[in-house]
Amino acid sequence: MKRQIIITLVLISAAMTVSAFSLRTSLPSITSVNPNAEKLHSVALPLRALFSSAPDNNSIEDNPVNVTFETATGAKSVNIQQGELLRSALLKRGISPHNGKSRLINCKGLGTCGTCAVEIYDNKAQSIGEDSYTPAVVPTERTTKEKLRLNFPPHGSEDQSPSLRLACQVQVEGDITVKKRTGFWGQDTDGKLADEYNAELWFGELEFILDDKSPKGRGGIN
């Protein structure tokens, strides 16, 4: 049953991602250009109600690390559990690593759509220097999925930040600062930060069904 759900979500997300690539961000709304979007919304809402379970954002983490998320609106600082995938950790605390409509149109953590791309900076590395460097995220280098997606349009520009990673592929092990850039995929390289967007868990806990790395239980995946 779980495998069937995963396959269904992947197929839906892949179809929506391809559609988004052709629509780009200049279009005013999904429903104005895609008459089926309203139907999709009507399907997503019951799924959201059925599978959602609000996380306890006030719980004390077993091994807390700090994430500072910077947008054009300002900076938010949250404690998460050590070892959580960055995408899951942010979404469970009401912060979206996706811009605008990509909160719905994304691959749910498969690593194929590229909409959760964020710049990640290791706070300790910045403060204590290279000689005492301890990685705050693992893996420390881009995975094969990241290399493929972040070098495929609309990502892949020559001035792309080397700190750009996919939030769904990175586990947080220490204090970090995360910056979200503009663009549907967070791909813009003009130095501007994106607006802040609240998390929208359209599919409830199914948003995290591909996350097999975050610690289970309190603060992590339930």
Side-chain angles (χ1 to χ4, degrees), residues 61-68 78-87 89 120-125 133-141 165 167 169-178 211-216:
E61 312 292 352
D62 294 328
N63 298 294
V65 293
N66 184 263
V67 176
T68 300
V78 294
N79 285 337
I80 71 170
Q81 188 169 347
Q82 188 178 41
E84 283 189 76
L85 277 180
L86 180 57
R87 177 183 182 272
I120 301 176
Y121 300 93
D122 187 333
N123 291 350
K124 289 186 178 179
Y133 175 69
T134 301
V137 296
V138 292
T140 57
E141 302 292 334
R165 302 290 301 271
Q169 301 297 307
V170 173
Q171 287 177 269
V172 184
E173 298 291 339
D175 298 345
I176 59 173
T177 294
V178 177
D211 181 358
D212 59 356
K213 295 182 174 62
S214 292
K216 308 298 180 182

Side-chain angles (χ1 to χ4, degrees), residues 51 58 61 70 88 127 141 155 170 197 205 215:
F51 290 101
N58 296 318
E61 312 292 352
E70 294 186 2
S88 299
S127 61
E141 302 292 334
H155 290 295
V170 173
Y197 292 95
E205 289 299 307

